[in-house]
Amino acid sequence: MADVDLSVSIGGLSLAHPLILASGPLSVTEDQLVSFGQVAGAIVAKSTSEKPSQGSPQPRIVAIDHDGMLNYEGGPNPGIDAFADIMRRSLPQMRCPIIGSMSARTLRLQKGMERVAAQFEDAGAAALELDFKYLYDQASLRSDFSLEQIGETIGALRRIVSIPLIAKLAFGPTDITVLAKAAEDAGAAAITAINTVFPGMKISIRRRMPMLSMKYGGLSGAPIRPLAVACVYQITDAVKIPVIASGGAMTGDDVVEFLMAGASAVQIYTVAMAEKQAAFTRVNDELSAWMRDNGAARVSDLVGVVPKQIEPKRKDQQWSAFVDETE
């Protein structure tokens, strides 16, 4: 097979390849957007609020072992007015679309939510990713979105903008397939899963103190990949809309695994922090090589190939010691 087709379509968006730069500090400035915009299939902007935010005190990002990362940024961003101007200057120089990102706090408090969404669309965003992750503070720790909040928020924003809405869901106490179904029923065009996993902690054994200023952070990178693969596999069995995987893809093989689990595209971030733009070239080259070696002509040939139903011969034996099969 001489060549392969890496193009994908997600909720009305056409991408040259399935690798998307996930939301984070790498997608804030004009220089970053333009440079990553030459190699990414799409870029998800840093989550943006109506007004500028300084975010949490430093340190708020720390690397851990096994290609992982902990962060508690607290939503630093320039505010929607400034970022909309950055988008307008950047998009003509880019080869890929920008997906706007609305912060969890903006969605939860609904302060300026409609104006942020309208500004993103006016500035040229091809879609909006709604960050339905936990909220955190020192008093109450983690607080998750309810099914009702997800449905009402998507419904309200669908009345404001015409671009596709992507629900970004976090792994937590509510079954993520139930969250995904609620988002689909409310009109989401796609699902991103699974965000970071919270809480995580790293302690400096020299200082005998947490390394993050806010003590806890969200865990991302390779350590959460098996959890993300399982969630993608489950979500794609529960909804009909496309799913974008997000959680620790570092290599072409990782992308293949997510695609086989059912993802239509894959966000990367931790590896992009380490390798910058070169991460996209390397991972796409590895993905293309795997496809050529294994007879896959198109990315769509790999999506969801792992069966959802367990064969009857694979009987679960974990309770056999407690069952009297003679009864």
mmCIF file of all heavy atoms in Angstrom, residues 120-160:
data_model
loop_
_atom_site.group_PDB
_atom_site.id
_atom_site.type_symbol
_atom_site.label_atom_id
_atom_site.label_comp_id
_atom_site.label_asym_id
_atom_site.label_seq_id
_atom_site.Cartn_x
_atom_site.Cartn_y
_atom_site.Cartn_z
ATOM 1 N N PHE A 120 -16.677 33.588 20.068
ATOM 2 C CA PHE A 120 -15.905 32.515 19.430
ATOM 3 C C PHE A 120 -16.391 32.301 17.993
ATOM 4 O O PHE A 120 -15.597 32.214 17.058
ATOM 5 C CB PHE A 120 -16.027 31.211 20.217
ATOM 6 C CG PHE A 120 -14.894 30.956 21.171
ATOM 7 C CD1 PHE A 120 -15.144 30.695 22.508
ATOM 8 C CD2 PHE A 120 -13.576 30.947 20.734
ATOM 9 C CE1 PHE A 120 -14.101 30.446 23.393
ATOM 10 C CE2 PHE A 120 -12.526 30.697 21.605
ATOM 11 C CZ PHE A 120 -12.793 30.438 22.945
ATOM 12 N N GLU A 121 -17.704 32.198 17.816
ATOM 13 C CA GLU A 121 -18.232 31.956 16.479
ATOM 14 C C GLU A 121 -17.908 33.128 15.553
ATOM 15 O O GLU A 121 -17.492 32.923 14.403
ATOM 16 C CB GLU A 121 -19.743 31.734 16.538
ATOM 17 C CG GLU A 121 -20.345 31.419 15.177
ATOM 18 C CD GLU A 121 -21.811 31.044 15.262
ATOM 19 O OE1 GLU A 121 -22.533 31.651 16.082
ATOM 20 O OE2 GLU A 121 -22.233 30.148 14.507
ATOM 21 N N ASP A 122 -18.062 34.350 16.042
ATOM 22 C CA ASP A 122 -17.795 35.524 15.225
ATOM 23 C C ASP A 122 -16.330 35.611 14.810
ATOM 24 O O ASP A 122 -16.007 36.100 13.728
ATOM 25 C CB ASP A 122 -18.200 36.788 15.993
ATOM 26 C CG ASP A 122 -18.052 38.044 15.151
ATOM 27 O OD1 ASP A 122 -18.809 38.195 14.173
ATOM 28 O OD2 ASP A 122 -17.158 38.870 15.463
ATOM 29 N N ALA A 123 -15.422 35.112 15.674
ATOM 30 C CA ALA A 123 -13.989 35.167 15.381
ATOM 31 C C ALA A 123 -13.541 34.057 14.443
ATOM 32 O O ALA A 123 -12.392 34.046 14.009
ATOM 33 C CB ALA A 123 -13.185 35.106 16.679
ATOM 34 N N GLY A 124 -14.432 33.099 14.147
ATOM 35 C CA GLY A 124 -14.091 32.067 13.170
ATOM 36 C C GLY A 124 -13.915 30.676 13.712
ATOM 37 O O GLY A 124 -13.447 29.778 12.981
ATOM 38 N N ALA A 125 -14.276 30.431 14.970
ATOM 39 C CA ALA A 125 -14.168 29.073 15.503
ATOM 40 C C ALA A 125 -15.049 28.127 14.704
ATOM 41 O O ALA A 125 -16.196 28.444 14.368
ATOM 42 C CB ALA A 125 -14.574 29.045 16.974
ATOM 43 N N ALA A 126 -14.505 26.940 14.400
ATOM 44 C CA ALA A 126 -15.247 25.963 13.612
ATOM 45 C C ALA A 126 -16.203 25.151 14.465
ATOM 46 O O ALA A 126 -17.137 24.524 13.942
ATOM 47 C CB ALA A 126 -14.267 25.030 12.907
ATOM 48 N N ALA A 127 -15.974 25.133 15.775
ATOM 49 C CA ALA A 127 -16.816 24.401 16.720
ATOM 50 C C ALA A 127 -16.499 24.930 18.103
ATOM 51 O O ALA A 127 -15.532 25.701 18.296
ATOM 52 C CB ALA A 127 -16.566 22.898 16.639
ATOM 53 N N LEU A 128 -17.301 24.516 19.084
ATOM 54 C CA LEU A 128 -17.050 24.873 20.477
ATOM 55 C C LEU A 128 -16.943 23.604 21.306
ATOM 56 O O LEU A 128 -17.832 22.740 21.245
ATOM 57 C CB LEU A 128 -18.185 25.731 21.046
ATOM 58 C CG LEU A 128 -18.197 27.218 20.734
ATOM 59 C CD1 LEU A 128 -19.423 27.863 21.384
ATOM 60 C CD2 LEU A 128 -16.920 27.890 21.224
ATOM 61 N N GLU A 129 -15.865 23.479 22.078
ATOM 62 C CA GLU A 129 -15.743 22.390 23.044
ATOM 63 C C GLU A 129 -16.139 22.929 24.412
ATOM 64 O O GLU A 129 -15.560 23.898 24.899
ATOM 65 C CB GLU A 129 -14.316 21.835 23.073
ATOM 66 C CG GLU A 129 -14.169 20.605 23.945
ATOM 67 C CD GLU A 129 -12.776 20.015 23.908
ATOM 68 O OE1 GLU A 129 -11.885 20.552 24.585
ATOM 69 O OE2 GLU A 129 -12.574 19.018 23.176
ATOM 70 N N LEU A 130 -17.130 22.295 25.017
ATOM 71 C CA LEU A 130 -17.656 22.727 26.304
ATOM 72 C C LEU A 130 -17.037 21.867 27.389
ATOM 73 O O LEU A 130 -17.252 20.649 27.449
ATOM 74 C CB LEU A 130 -19.184 22.591 26.315
ATOM 75 C CG LEU A 130 -19.916 23.169 25.098
ATOM 76 C CD1 LEU A 130 -21.417 22.963 25.232
ATOM 77 C CD2 LEU A 130 -19.569 24.643 24.902
ATOM 78 N N ASP A 131 -16.274 22.493 28.265
ATOM 79 C CA ASP A 131 -15.454 21.769 29.238
ATOM 80 C C ASP A 131 -16.279 21.416 30.478
ATOM 81 O O ASP A 131 -16.222 22.102 31.493
ATOM 82 C CB ASP A 131 -14.244 22.631 29.616
ATOM 83 C CG ASP A 131 -13.182 21.835 30.352
ATOM 84 O OD1 ASP A 131 -13.376 20.623 30.546
ATOM 85 O OD2 ASP A 131 -12.158 22.434 30.733
ATOM 86 N N PHE A 132 -17.025 20.312 30.400
ATOM 87 C CA PHE A 132 -17.857 19.872 31.516
ATOM 88 C C PHE A 132 -17.043 19.045 32.508
ATOM 89 O O PHE A 132 -17.397 17.919 32.851
ATOM 90 C CB PHE A 132 -19.034 19.037 31.005
ATOM 91 C CG PHE A 132 -20.062 19.815 30.242
ATOM 92 C CD1 PHE A 132 -20.305 19.523 28.905
ATOM 93 C CD2 PHE A 132 -20.790 20.818 30.843
ATOM 94 C CE1 PHE A 132 -21.269 20.222 28.190
ATOM 95 C CE2 PHE A 132 -21.750 21.534 30.132
ATOM 96 C CZ PHE A 132 -21.984 21.235 28.813
ATOM 97 N N LYS A 133 -15.937 19.603 32.982
ATOM 98 C CA LYS A 133 -15.155 18.878 33.980
ATOM 99 C C LYS A 133 -15.573 19.363 35.366
ATOM 100 O O LYS A 133 -16.473 20.180 35.523
ATOM 101 C CB LYS A 133 -13.663 19.083 33.753
ATOM 102 C CG LYS A 133 -13.148 20.477 34.079
ATOM 103 C CD LYS A 133 -11.632 20.533 33.942
ATOM 104 C CE LYS A 133 -11.114 21.924 34.299
ATOM 105 N NZ LYS A 133 -9.653 22.031 34.157
ATOM 106 N N TYR A 134 -14.925 18.834 36.371
ATOM 107 C CA TYR A 134 -15.178 19.204 37.754
ATOM 108 C C TYR A 134 -14.825 20.659 38.017
ATOM 109 O O TYR A 134 -14.015 21.259 37.313
ATOM 110 C CB TYR A 134 -14.319 18.326 38.671
ATOM 111 C CG TYR A 134 -12.847 18.413 38.317
ATOM 112 C CD1 TYR A 134 -12.044 19.418 38.826
ATOM 113 C CD2 TYR A 134 -12.284 17.522 37.417
ATOM 114 C CE1 TYR A 134 -10.717 19.535 38.474
ATOM 115 C CE2 TYR A 134 -10.950 17.625 37.060
ATOM 116 C CZ TYR A 134 -10.176 18.628 37.590
ATOM 117 O OH TYR A 134 -8.860 18.743 37.223
ATOM 118 N N LEU A 135 -15.401 21.215 39.032
ATOM 119 C CA LEU A 135 -14.906 22.447 39.636
ATOM 120 C C LEU A 135 -14.231 22.073 40.945
ATOM 121 O O LEU A 135 -14.617 21.106 41.602
ATOM 122 C CB LEU A 135 -16.044 23.432 39.905
ATOM 123 C CG LEU A 135 -16.703 24.058 38.684
ATOM 124 C CD1 LEU A 135 -17.765 25.052 39.119
ATOM 125 C CD2 LEU A 135 -15.680 24.760 37.807
ATOM 126 N N TYR A 136 -13.233 22.850 41.336
ATOM 127 C CA TYR A 136 -12.477 22.524 42.536
ATOM 128 C C TYR A 136 -12.201 23.783 43.338
ATOM 129 O O TYR A 136 -11.896 24.843 42.786
ATOM 130 C CB TYR A 136 -11.139 21.879 42.152
ATOM 131 C CG TYR A 136 -10.136 21.832 43.284
ATOM 132 C CD1 TYR A 136 -10.218 20.853 44.268
ATOM 133 C CD2 TYR A 136 -9.126 22.780 43.393
ATOM 134 C CE1 TYR A 136 -9.309 20.822 45.311
ATOM 135 C CE2 TYR A 136 -8.226 22.756 44.430
ATOM 136 C CZ TYR A 136 -8.327 21.772 45.390
ATOM 137 O OH TYR A 136 -7.430 21.746 46.426
ATOM 138 N N ASP A 137 -12.380 23.689 44.626
ATOM 139 C CA ASP A 137 -11.868 24.734 45.507
ATOM 140 C C ASP A 137 -11.438 24.078 46.812
ATOM 141 O O ASP A 137 -11.746 22.918 47.090
ATOM 142 C CB ASP A 137 -12.889 25.859 45.754
ATOM 143 C CG ASP A 137 -14.175 25.377 46.411
ATOM 144 O OD1 ASP A 137 -14.094 24.669 47.430
ATOM 145 O OD2 ASP A 137 -15.252 25.722 45.913
ATOM 146 N N GLN A 138 -10.721 24.851 47.626
ATOM 147 C CA GLN A 138 -10.124 24.283 48.835
ATOM 148 C C GLN A 138 -11.179 23.810 49.833
ATOM 149 O O GLN A 138 -10.948 22.906 50.620
ATOM 150 C CB GLN A 138 -9.219 25.330 49.500
ATOM 151 C CG GLN A 138 -7.984 25.685 48.705
ATOM 152 C CD GLN A 138 -6.908 24.612 48.771
ATOM 153 O OE1 GLN A 138 -7.100 23.565 49.367
ATOM 154 N NE2 GLN A 138 -5.772 24.879 48.152
ATOM 155 N N ALA A 139 -12.366 24.416 49.791
ATOM 156 C CA ALA A 139 -13.385 24.081 50.786
ATOM 157 C C ALA A 139 -14.175 22.828 50.405
ATOM 158 O O ALA A 139 -14.359 21.921 51.215
ATOM 159 C CB ALA A 139 -14.335 25.262 50.966
ATOM 160 N N SER A 140 -14.640 22.775 49.150
ATOM 161 C CA SER A 140 -15.538 21.692 48.761
ATOM 162 C C SER A 140 -14.884 20.625 47.895
ATOM 163 O O SER A 140 -15.523 19.630 47.542
ATOM 164 C CB SER A 140 -16.748 22.267 48.018
ATOM 165 O OG SER A 140 -16.330 22.958 46.847
ATOM 166 N N LEU A 141 -13.599 20.814 47.561
ATOM 167 C CA LEU A 141 -12.901 19.905 46.666
ATOM 168 C C LEU A 141 -13.669 19.766 45.348
ATOM 169 O O LEU A 141 -14.134 20.739 44.797
ATOM 170 C CB LEU A 141 -12.653 18.562 47.346
ATOM 171 C CG LEU A 141 -11.685 18.616 48.543
ATOM 172 C CD1 LEU A 141 -11.481 17.226 49.111
ATOM 173 C CD2 LEU A 141 -10.342 19.232 48.164
ATOM 174 N N ARG A 142 -13.855 18.549 44.864
ATOM 175 C CA ARG A 142 -14.393 18.364 43.517
ATOM 176 C C ARG A 142 -15.922 18.452 43.495
ATOM 177 O O ARG A 142 -16.608 17.901 44.340
ATOM 178 C CB ARG A 142 -13.949 17.002 42.996
ATOM 179 C CG ARG A 142 -14.534 16.638 41.649
ATOM 180 C CD ARG A 142 -13.868 15.395 41.109
ATOM 181 N NE ARG A 142 -14.594 14.894 39.952
ATOM 182 C CZ ARG A 142 -14.048 14.152 39.009
ATOM 183 N NH1 ARG A 142 -12.779 13.852 39.066
ATOM 184 N NH2 ARG A 142 -14.763 13.713 37.991
ATOM 185 N N SER A 143 -16.422 19.159 42.479
ATOM 186 C CA SER A 143 -17.857 19.271 42.259
ATOM 187 C C SER A 143 -18.124 19.036 40.774
ATOM 188 O O SER A 143 -17.586 19.753 39.935
ATOM 189 C CB SER A 143 -18.368 20.656 42.674
ATOM 190 O OG SER A 143 -19.708 20.842 42.300
ATOM 191 N N ASP A 144 -18.939 18.014 40.450
ATOM 192 C CA ASP A 144 -19.155 17.623 39.063
ATOM 193 C C ASP A 144 -20.456 18.197 38.506
ATOM 194 O O ASP A 144 -21.384 18.506 39.242
ATOM 195 C CB ASP A 144 -19.187 16.098 38.949
ATOM 196 C CG ASP A 144 -17.828 15.473 39.202
ATOM 197 O OD1 ASP A 144 -17.505 15.216 40.375
ATOM 198 O OD2 ASP A 144 -17.086 15.261 38.232
ATOM 199 N N PHE A 145 -20.516 18.304 37.180
ATOM 200 C CA PHE A 145 -21.736 18.731 36.514
ATOM 201 C C PHE A 145 -22.802 17.632 36.615
ATOM 202 O O PHE A 145 -22.498 16.443 36.488
ATOM 203 C CB PHE A 145 -21.471 19.027 35.035
ATOM 204 C CG PHE A 145 -20.848 20.363 34.778
ATOM 205 C CD1 PHE A 145 -19.477 20.548 34.899
ATOM 206 C CD2 PHE A 145 -21.626 21.444 34.407
ATOM 207 C CE1 PHE A 145 -18.889 21.774 34.651
ATOM 208 C CE2 PHE A 145 -21.060 22.687 34.146
ATOM 209 C CZ PHE A 145 -19.688 22.855 34.286
ATOM 210 N N SER A 146 -24.035 18.044 36.798
ATOM 211 C CA SER A 146 -25.146 17.094 36.801
ATOM 212 C C SER A 146 -25.648 16.887 35.375
ATOM 213 O O SER A 146 -25.326 17.668 34.463
ATOM 214 C CB SER A 146 -26.289 17.609 37.674
ATOM 215 O OG SER A 146 -26.889 18.766 37.077
ATOM 216 N N LEU A 147 -26.458 15.852 35.177
ATOM 217 C CA LEU A 147 -27.054 15.606 33.868
ATOM 218 C C LEU A 147 -27.904 16.802 33.433
ATOM 219 O O LEU A 147 -27.900 17.196 32.266
ATOM 220 C CB LEU A 147 -27.916 14.347 33.905
ATOM 221 C CG LEU A 147 -27.207 13.032 34.241
ATOM 222 C CD1 LEU A 147 -28.225 11.904 34.288
ATOM 223 C CD2 LEU A 147 -26.122 12.732 33.226
ATOM 224 N N GLU A 148 -28.620 17.364 34.386
ATOM 225 C CA GLU A 148 -29.479 18.507 34.071
ATOM 226 C C GLU A 148 -28.663 19.712 33.638
ATOM 227 O O GLU A 148 -29.032 20.421 32.684
ATOM 228 C CB GLU A 148 -30.337 18.868 35.286
ATOM 229 C CG GLU A 148 -31.387 17.822 35.652
ATOM 230 C CD GLU A 148 -30.794 16.595 36.342
ATOM 231 O OE1 GLU A 148 -29.628 16.672 36.819
ATOM 232 O OE2 GLU A 148 -31.485 15.575 36.416
ATOM 233 N N GLN A 149 -27.559 19.977 34.318
ATOM 234 C CA GLN A 149 -26.720 21.115 33.955
ATOM 235 C C GLN A 149 -26.124 20.947 32.561
ATOM 236 O O GLN A 149 -26.053 21.898 31.778
ATOM 237 C CB GLN A 149 -25.608 21.297 34.990
ATOM 238 C CG GLN A 149 -26.098 21.837 36.321
ATOM 239 C CD GLN A 149 -25.019 21.781 37.385
ATOM 240 O OE1 GLN A 149 -24.257 20.812 37.472
ATOM 241 N NE2 GLN A 149 -24.947 22.816 38.202
ATOM 242 N N ILE A 150 -25.702 19.729 32.241
ATOM 243 C CA ILE A 150 -25.140 19.473 30.911
ATOM 244 C C ILE A 150 -26.203 19.712 29.838
ATOM 245 O O ILE A 150 -25.974 20.413 28.841
ATOM 246 C CB ILE A 150 -24.585 18.039 30.830
ATOM 247 C CG1 ILE A 150 -23.318 17.918 31.683
ATOM 248 C CG2 ILE A 150 -24.287 17.651 29.371
ATOM 249 C CD1 ILE A 150 -22.773 16.505 31.790
ATOM 250 N N GLY A 151 -27.389 19.154 30.055
ATOM 251 C CA GLY A 151 -28.455 19.306 29.074
ATOM 252 C C GLY A 151 -28.903 20.747 28.896
ATOM 253 O O GLY A 151 -29.072 21.233 27.767
ATOM 254 N N GLU A 152 -29.091 21.451 30.004
ATOM 255 C CA GLU A 152 -29.548 22.838 29.935
ATOM 256 C C GLU A 152 -28.506 23.737 29.284
ATOM 257 O O GLU A 152 -28.844 24.637 28.508
ATOM 258 C CB GLU A 152 -29.877 23.339 31.345
ATOM 259 C CG GLU A 152 -31.132 22.695 31.942
ATOM 260 C CD GLU A 152 -31.312 23.044 33.406
ATOM 261 O OE1 GLU A 152 -30.448 23.788 33.946
ATOM 262 O OE2 GLU A 152 -32.283 22.563 34.008
ATOM 263 N N THR A 153 -27.230 23.502 29.583
ATOM 264 C CA THR A 153 -26.163 24.334 29.016
ATOM 265 C C THR A 153 -26.056 24.144 27.514
ATOM 266 O O THR A 153 -25.963 25.119 26.744
ATOM 267 C CB THR A 153 -24.818 24.009 29.687
ATOM 268 O OG1 THR A 153 -24.914 24.245 31.091
ATOM 269 C CG2 THR A 153 -23.700 24.874 29.105
ATOM 270 N N ILE A 154 -26.055 22.891 27.059
ATOM 271 C CA ILE A 154 -25.992 22.637 25.621
ATOM 272 C C ILE A 154 -27.212 23.219 24.920
ATOM 273 O O ILE A 154 -27.102 23.857 23.858
ATOM 274 C CB ILE A 154 -25.867 21.124 25.347
ATOM 275 C CG1 ILE A 154 -24.515 20.610 25.846
ATOM 276 C CG2 ILE A 154 -26.024 20.826 23.856
ATOM 277 C CD1 ILE A 154 -24.356 19.108 25.773
ATOM 278 N N GLY A 155 -28.383 23.048 25.519
ATOM 279 C CA GLY A 155 -29.596 23.592 24.928
ATOM 280 C C GLY A 155 -29.545 25.104 24.799
ATOM 281 O O GLY A 155 -29.935 25.667 23.762
ATOM 282 N N ALA A 156 -29.047 25.779 25.837
ATOM 283 C CA ALA A 156 -28.961 27.241 25.804
ATOM 284 C C ALA A 156 -27.989 27.713 24.730
ATOM 285 O O ALA A 156 -28.272 28.675 23.994
ATOM 286 C CB ALA A 156 -28.526 27.763 27.172
ATOM 287 N N LEU A 157 -26.846 27.036 24.594
ATOM 288 C CA LEU A 157 -25.846 27.469 23.623
ATOM 289 C C LEU A 157 -26.258 27.142 22.192
ATOM 290 O O LEU A 157 -25.866 27.852 21.252
ATOM 291 C CB LEU A 157 -24.487 26.845 23.949
ATOM 292 C CG LEU A 157 -23.836 27.388 25.226
ATOM 293 C CD1 LEU A 157 -22.548 26.637 25.528
ATOM 294 C CD2 LEU A 157 -23.557 28.876 25.099
ATOM 295 N N ARG A 158 -27.036 26.116 22.014
ATOM 296 C CA ARG A 158 -27.522 25.804 20.658
ATOM 297 C C ARG A 158 -28.425 26.916 20.124
ATOM 298 O O ARG A 158 -28.564 27.087 18.916
ATOM 299 C CB ARG A 158 -28.293 24.474 20.655
ATOM 300 C CG ARG A 158 -27.402 23.235 20.734
ATOM 301 C CD ARG A 158 -28.212 21.984 20.480
ATOM 302 N NE ARG A 158 -28.646 21.916 19.090
ATOM 303 C CZ ARG A 158 -29.715 21.239 18.668
ATOM 304 N NH1 ARG A 158 -30.484 20.620 19.538
ATOM 305 N NH2 ARG A 158 -30.021 21.202 17.391
ATOM 306 N N ARG A 159 -29.037 27.649 21.043
ATOM 307 C CA ARG A 159 -29.883 28.766 20.611
ATOM 308 C C ARG A 159 -29.070 30.009 20.284
ATOM 309 O O ARG A 159 -29.598 30.967 19.705
ATOM 310 C CB ARG A 159 -30.908 29.079 21.711
ATOM 311 C CG ARG A 159 -31.924 27.959 21.938
ATOM 312 C CD ARG A 159 -33.048 28.395 22.865
ATOM 313 N NE ARG A 159 -32.600 28.546 24.240
ATOM 314 C CZ ARG A 159 -32.609 27.569 25.140
ATOM 315 N NH1 ARG A 159 -33.028 26.341 24.800
ATOM 316 N NH2 ARG A 159 -32.213 27.794 26.381
ATOM 317 N N ILE A 160 -27.784 30.010 20.651
ATOM 318 C CA ILE A 160 -26.928 31.181 20.454
ATOM 319 C C ILE A 160 -26.040 31.043 19.227
ATOM 320 O O ILE A 160 -25.847 31.993 18.474
ATOM 321 C CB ILE A 160 -26.055 31.407 21.711
ATOM 322 C CG1 ILE A 160 -26.930 31.658 22.933
ATOM 323 C CG2 ILE A 160 -25.088 32.581 21.507
ATOM 324 C CD1 ILE A 160 -27.836 32.857 22.826
#
